[in-house]
Amino acid sequence: GIQVEQSPPDLILQEGANSTLRCNFSDSVNNLQWFHQNPWGQLINLFYIPSGTKQNGRLSATTVATERYSLLYISSSQTTDSGVYFCAVISGGYQKVTFGIGTKLQVIP
Amino acid sequence: EPEVTQTPSHQVTQMGQEVILRCVPISNHLYFYWYRQILGQKVEFLVSFYNNEISEKSEIFDDQFSVERPDGSNFTLKIRSTKLEDSAMYFCASIVRGGTGELFFGEGSRLTVL
């Protein structure tokens, strides 16, 4: 099946710093989404981004489908950005969803 | 905004008991999923459901588990004879259609097996 790799696995940032999270996938996909898992365990949908670039406030994402990667940018990080960021790809005729292992982000004041 | 709803939000059960987790997907969605996440670990695929039948299941989804869509709206996950290692967050998700449909997750049901 398709492999999804996320990097880095862990990241500690000083508040106000910028960061880039990466998601590589091993085969063509129908869709790619970024999620933030908050401290209560909920998966918050950040971006639905099968290709191209999107921005939402301090967050933006870029997917280059032909090169099989996606990037999530966090600018001017805040402590509320802490949590785990997951990349998930959707592929195949039955829309199989495969998650990466996540990037655990800690933003310190 | 339409949402996927899950109940209960938290359930505590004794080992060996049966548990049913319920999900109401978004009404015009066609593909449904159950995922689980053991505390601190990755989100693992359990099963996908399309056209009233299982389209794919993982090796985790053994005979202990079953899914059904009894009334065209609810989508349930049944765990028979729960084990301690079934303690996890269980997420339901749905997609409206094939191609580039966006995936929506419920808020999860936390299962604690004692």
Side-chain angles (χ1 to χ4, degrees), chain B residues 96-112:
Chain B
V96 61
R97 55 177 168 81
T100 57
E102 184 173 354
L103 180 68
F104 289 84
F105 274 88
E107 293 188 342
S109 293
R110 184 170 298 283
L111 175 65
T112 302

Side-chain angles (χ1 to χ4, degrees), chain A residues 10-21:
Chain A
D10 295 279
L11 185 59
I12 300 175
L13 291 178
Q14 200 76 40
E15 197 169 25
N18 303 327
S19 64
T20 301
L21 281 57

Side-chain angles (χ1 to χ4, degrees), chain A residues 32-92:
Chain A
L32 184 145
Q33 291 181 235
W34 285 95
F35 294 90
H36 176 218
Q37 188 164 40
N38 64 21
W40 297 271
Q42 297 167 345
L43 289 168
I44 308 301
N45 195 350
L46 296 177
F47 291 102
Y48 159 72
I49 187 164
S51 63
T53 297
K54 290 186 178 180
Q55 179 149 11
N56 184 4
R58 295 180 297 101
L59 302 182
S60 64
T62 295
T63 296
V64 184
T66 53
E67 297 186 23
R68 298 180 185 166
Y69 73 88
S70 182
L71 303 173
L72 177 68
Y73 306 95
I74 304 173
S75 63
S76 303
S77 57
Q78 301 175 358
T79 55
T80 52
D81 295 331
S82 297
V84 183
Y85 289 80
F86 288 103
C87 164
V89 301
I90 299 157
S91 59

